[in-house]
Amino acid sequence: MNLELLQIFLNIVLIFTALYLICIAAFTFGLFNLKERFHSVNKNNLIKVSVLIAARNEEKNIEKLLESLKKQSFSKELFEVIIVNDHSTDNTDEIINDFINKNKELDVKLLKAEKTGKKHAISQALHSAINELVIVTDADCVLNDLWIESIVGFYQEEKCKMILAPVLLSPAENLFEKMQVLEHLSLIGSTAGSASIGFPVMCNGANMAYERKAALEVEKFRKDFDIPSGDDMFLLEQFVKRYGHNNVKFLLSKSAVVKTKTCKTIKDFFRQRRRWVSKTKSYTSWKVIVTALIVLFFNLSIISLLVSAFFVPALWSIYILLTLLKFFIDLPLLKNITNFMNQGSLLKWVLPLEIIYPFYVVFTALSGTIFTKLKSENGKWTQSN
């Protein structure tokens, strides 16, 4: 390799390393500044809640979610549950109706989806909701008994327009599942940290809340309904644009954690991640775009160093040093969020994940943005490669 080209290449690597360090350090600082505690409800200012759920072919999971809603400590008179059945072809509908008939004390409404996809289903539920605060979760989640109460208490204190909350993948029994959980925890840690410093760039639609009136208002400005995925991120973008980043807060409380399942196969895992990545082409927030590009090009730099080292052996030491540097950059954030989620035992897998992660990021980024197309067939969104 020409020495001049090598110098340019190493300078580019150095630039993206510095940018990545600044980005993760900022998120880590934000995460450390968040105080984990339970937010009790102010009973002198009671707030009513609407829980929104989109469900499609969830016969194996929906009953667990409904039972966890039944166990909520929050007064059953103060919340409604609106479930939109998004063209299920299994017994999801029957299971929900059976639960409704057996639990009359709960205000549960089951609606038939008017259009296709989770995004439209949540919008339909939002327009049917009647209460001040809306909380959204997924049909395959299990909720803490204090879930609604902790979110309402936080909302009463902060009076923000949007609340982001933690999601834990479970179980983590084999190595593949442990890697998934650890990678997802890094995303949750970054979500919490970025929101804490007033730079919200991520969210998870399995656990978020917002004011109903504010959501109805920002929906007028959304232009993403023809994009099948991204109901959470596009909504976050619009909330930040209209109400400012200070109106988006992260709730760091074990009581607010929801659990959802890990992917069982590598194929399912990459299909999910490609679906997540495919929507990034339509983001308009420079904060989200710049953060994503920094992460992508930093990891691409690591791979480029590895490949180049086969031709320029002197680069092996730089590749190893950069991998170790990434490990030490990521470790404080991962340690903090794994301890919060009681998943500290997973930290021993951080270094192996750091070696694999650059390949995973680059592969999903390229396949998700270039090779993956989302299309609708028979009322169901699928992927084609």
Side-chain angles (χ1 to χ4, degrees):
M1 184 181 288
N2 182 283
L3 285 178
E4 186 176 346
L5 289 176
L6 179 61
Q7 185 62 49
I8 293 172
F9 170 63
L10 292 177
N11 285 338
I12 293 172
V13 171
L14 182 62
I15 290 170
F16 281 107
T17 301
L19 290 173
Y20 183 81
L21 173 60
I22 293 170
C23 185
I24 299 302
F27 294 171
T28 302
F29 174 77
L31 181 60
F32 271 84
N33 275 347
L34 285 176
K35 304 299 180 184
E36 194 275 319
R37 67 184 182 88
F38 176 73
H39 299 264
S40 57
V41 171
N42 179 0
K43 295 183 179 179
N44 294 322
N45 182 28
L46 292 176
I47 292 173
K48 290 189 175 182
V49 173
S50 296
V51 179
L52 312 185
I53 303 157
R56 182 174 66 204
N57 294 336
E58 294 287 356
E59 63 179 6
K60 296 180 180 179
N61 304 308
I62 193 67
E63 192 167 8
K64 291 181 181 178
L65 171 64
L66 292 170
E67 288 296 332
S68 62
L69 283 166
K70 181 180 177 180
K71 294 177 182 177
Q72 290 298 301
S73 60
F74 196 67
S75 173
K76 293 177 176 58
E77 297 177 354
L78 297 176
F79 75 93
E80 63 174 352
V81 179
I82 302 175
I83 306 172
V84 178
N85 182 11
D86 183 16
H87 304 90
S88 295
T89 56
D90 62 2
N91 293 319
T92 298
D93 202 59
E94 290 82 352
I95 292 171
I96 297 171
N97 277 318
D98 184 59
F99 179 87
I100 292 173
N101 291 330
K102 292 179 179 178
N103 297 275
K104 299 294 186 181
E105 73 278 10
L106 277 178
D107 183 6
V108 181
K109 301 178 181 70
L110 176 60
L111 308 179
K112 183 178 179 180
E114 297 171 354
K115 297 182 180 180
T116 301
K118 180 185 175 183
K119 189 178 299 185
H120 288 291
I122 293 298
S123 176
Q124 182 179 340
L126 175 66
H127 283 266
S128 298
I130 59 173
N131 295 323
E132 175 182 351
L133 184 65
V134 165
I135 310 179
V136 182
T137 190
D138 287 344
D140 60 353
C141 289
V142 177
L143 318 170
N144 186 288
D145 293 354
L146 297 169
W147 180 61
I148 296 178
E149 187 175 345
S150 62
I151 292 175
V152 170
F154 184 79
Y155 174 70
Q156 288 177 321
E157 290 181 23
E158 297 293 332
K159 286 297 180 184
C160 53
K161 298 293 183 181
M162 174 176 278
I163 299 170
L164 313 179
V167 179
L168 175 64
L169 296 186
S170 182
E173 296 173 348
N174 55 48
L175 180 58
F176 176 52
E177 290 176 345
K178 289 176 182 177
M179 290 292 191
Q180 283 184 69
V181 174
L182 193 56
E183 185 260 347
H184 192 262
L185 285 174
S186 72
L187 298 178
I188 295 299
S190 297
T191 300
S194 62
S196 175
I197 61 172
F199 199 87
V201 293
M202 282 181 279
C203 62
N204 192 313
N207 197 10
M208 61 194 305
Y210 37 82
E211 291 182 352
R212 181 178 63 87
K213 289 183 179 179
L216 290 171
E217 181 64 24
V218 301
E219 191 175 273
K220 300 175 186 177
F221 304 94
R222 290 177 64 180
K223 300 178 181 180
D224 59 281
F225 278 96
D226 57 336
I227 303 170
S229 64
D231 55 287
D232 46 7
M233 283 297 298
F234 290 117
L235 185 63
L236 172 64
E237 278 193 335
Q238 291 301 324
F239 263 84
V240 173
K241 283 182 180 180
R242 184 153 186 85
Y243 298 109
H245 56 77
N246 289 326
N247 263 304
V248 178
K249 304 287 185 181
F250 190 92
L251 167 55
L252 192 72
S253 173
K254 290 183 174 65
S255 302
V257 174
V258 305
K259 294 181 179 180
T260 189
K261 293 182 177 180
T262 53
C263 295
K264 295 303 177 185
T265 67
I266 293 177
K267 183 179 180 181
D268 289 341
F269 174 77
F270 278 108
R271 182 185 292 116
Q272 181 190 65
R273 293 311 194 265
R274 286 198 301 268
R275 188 174 70 248
W276 290 359
V277 171
S278 66
K279 64 196 177 187
T280 58
K281 293 178 289 186
S282 302
Y283 290 157
T284 58
S285 168
W286 70 266
K287 296 177 182 179
V288 176
I289 295 169
V290 169
T291 303
L293 288 176
I294 289 173
V295 173
L296 172 61
F297 283 109
F298 174 65
N299 284 282
L300 186 59
S301 298
I302 295 176
I303 295 177
S304 300
L305 269 175
L306 176 61
V307 173
S308 300
F310 286 98
F311 303 97
V312 184
L315 293 178
W316 279 110
S317 58
I318 300 178
Y319 164 72
I320 294 170
L321 286 172
L322 193 60
T323 301
L324 290 174
L325 178 61
K326 185 177 187 304
F327 168 77
F328 286 111
I329 292 172
D330 293 342
L331 188 59
L333 184 142
L334 285 169
K335 186 175 182 180
N336 188 295
I337 195 65
T338 52
N339 287 341
F340 163 72
M341 292 284 202
N342 298 321
Q343 301 292 316
S345 61
L346 295 178
L347 284 176
K348 61 185 176 184
W349 299 107
V350 174
L351 188 55
L353 181 63
E354 295 288 8
I355 296 171
I356 299 169
Y357 193 72
F359 299 93
Y360 151 72
V361 168
V362 173
F363 173 76
T364 53
L366 293 177
S367 62
T369 57
I370 299 173
F371 303 113
T372 298
K373 293 180 180 179
L374 293 170
K375 60 182 181 179
S376 178
E377 294 180 354
N378 301 322
K380 181 179 179 180
W381 288 104
T382 59
Q383 288 186 10
S384 61
N385 300 309

